[in-house]
Amino acid sequence: MGVARGGYLAGIAAYGLWGFFPLYLRLLRPASPLEILAHRIIWSVVFVGVVLLVGWRRRPADRRNWLPGRGRSSRPLLAVIAAAALISVNWGMYIYGVDTERVVETSLGYFINPLVTVLLGVLLLGERLRGPQWLAVGVGAVAVTVLTVDYGRLPYLALTLAGSFGLYGFVKKRLGLPPAEGLFAETLLLAGPALGLLWLLDQQGTLTFGTVSAGHTGLLLLAGAATSVPLLLFAGAANRIPLTALGILQYLTPAMQFGIGVLIFGEPMPAARLAGFGLVWCALTIFTVDMIRNARRRPVLVEG
């Protein structure tokens, strides 16, 4: 019981921190989205590297177990490159969305992510969906249509976030690296371009790191911890509680982001847009109820 309780607390903490992320990103102004993305990559390498070094000193055998391709993937380097590209797109679009005052649309991306994930299972893995799952996907498609009419365009930001994160999860599953080690490998690959980007911004005179204030610089330095800590908490939760419970907890993040966008940042929420979100929530209800029912029909293994 204690293990499960700790897993739920870790899961709530992880999704809660991700939910508050728009508030943190707004504090980084006047840094541009590109500068924030570069700092997020670089300081994640540093932070996760330190975490791994500490872990390896305690458990030296772990050094040999995290390398890509050890019985997991025939093309590990390509998989890591693909994962790095996808997560950089996801991070960059999310930062851009918050910076351009479209937090509500970013929350939509993470609301529809479970529906996109099951569609990817059909398209990429040949999986077959149950009737309620098809119904949920159909209602989700109607919701996107309603929101397209409301926005006057496709909600491309939300679709890009959902698609990139869904594909990222697919690649990560095939690669099989633990979360911290995987994040280190991906951000290490991106560190060179990120440093080059910071150099370019400096040459253009638009770099804010070390020029605005000590507090601003400190907040940019925290980008690594802000990225990595929720991921490590999520990993701890995933090992302790059923995936069904983890799947329900994931809605905490977009719900918080939606509330922050509407109630704190004052983003508009006309009736048509609210109707579109209502359809999304209806689709997620169908999806979640079906997931819970099927989870009860088979035993769920929870690792301690």
Side-chain angles (χ1 to χ4, degrees):
M1 187 66 178
V3 171
R5 185 182 297 111
Y8 281 108
L9 290 175
I12 292 170
Y15 287 118
L17 288 172
W18 279 323
F20 282 120
F21 210 65
L23 297 176
Y24 166 71
L25 290 177
R26 282 292 177 90
L27 293 176
L28 299 182
R29 288 178 171 177
S32 68
L34 287 177
E35 181 179 357
I36 296 171
L37 175 61
H39 282 292
R40 191 174 184 184
I41 292 167
I42 291 166
W43 300 117
S44 290
V45 174
V46 175
F47 183 86
V48 179
V50 171
V51 170
L52 289 177
L53 284 175
V54 171
W56 289 343
R57 285 177 64 89
R58 295 177 179 176
R59 300 179 300 276
D62 288 354
R63 300 178 194 178
R64 299 187 298 273
N65 296 332
W66 78 276
L67 296 173
R70 293 181 62 86
R72 299 182 179 97
S73 172
S74 59
R75 298 178 180 177
L77 181 58
L78 290 177
V80 173
I81 292 172
L86 288 166
I87 199 60
S88 65
V89 168
N90 185 268
W91 287 355
M93 291 298 287
Y94 183 77
I95 294 167
Y96 169 76
V98 175
D99 186 68
T100 55
E101 302 182 354
R102 292 158 67 183
V103 174
V104 169
E105 190 175 344
T106 66
S107 74
L108 174 64
Y110 293 108
F111 273 127
I112 65 176
N113 180 68
L115 305 179
V116 170
T117 298
V118 297
L119 270 181
L120 288 175
V122 172
L123 298 174
L124 300 179
L125 299 176
E127 295 179 356
R128 301 183 65 178
L129 299 187
R130 297 182 294 273
Q133 290 177 315
W134 277 119
L135 177 60
V137 170
V139 173
V142 173
V144 171
T145 302
V146 171
L147 290 167
T148 297
V149 173
D150 173 66
Y151 282 116
R153 55 169 173 78
L154 270 175
Y156 67 87
L157 181 59
L159 294 175
T160 302
L161 288 172
S164 61
F165 199 71
L167 286 169
Y168 176 71
F170 170 77
V171 173
K172 293 278 282 186
K173 184 176 179 64
R174 299 297 293 267
L175 183 59
L177 282 178
E181 286 84 344
L183 180 63
F184 180 75
E186 294 150 17
T187 51
L188 188 62
L189 277 175
L190 296 169
L195 287 170
L197 179 58
L198 291 180
W199 176 84
L200 181 62
L201 293 174
D202 183 53
Q203 295 301 303
Q204 294 175 346
T206 58
L207 190 70
T208 65
F209 184 78
T211 64
V212 175
S213 67
H216 179 264
T217 299
L219 286 170
L220 286 172
L221 288 172
L222 284 174
T227 297
S228 307
V229 169
L231 179 65
L232 297 175
L233 288 168
F234 170 80
N239 287 333
R240 291 171 173 82
I241 64 177
L243 289 179
T244 328
L246 201 63
I248 295 172
L249 284 178
Q250 74 176 318
Y251 300 136
L252 176 64
T253 295
M256 291 177 63
Q257 293 171 351
F258 179 87
I260 288 172
V262 174
L263 301 176
I264 297 180
F265 294 156
E267 295 184 15
M269 183 51 60
R273 192 167 307 170
L274 187 59
F277 271 89
L279 286 170
V280 170
W281 297 329
C282 179
L284 291 177
T285 300
I286 297 170
F287 179 82
T288 303
V289 169
D290 177 71
M291 179 175 60
I292 293 172
R293 283 180 176 174
N294 280 273
R296 288 175 177 171
R297 293 174 185 169
R298 59 182 183 272
V300 178
L301 298 179
V302 183
E303 299 180 10

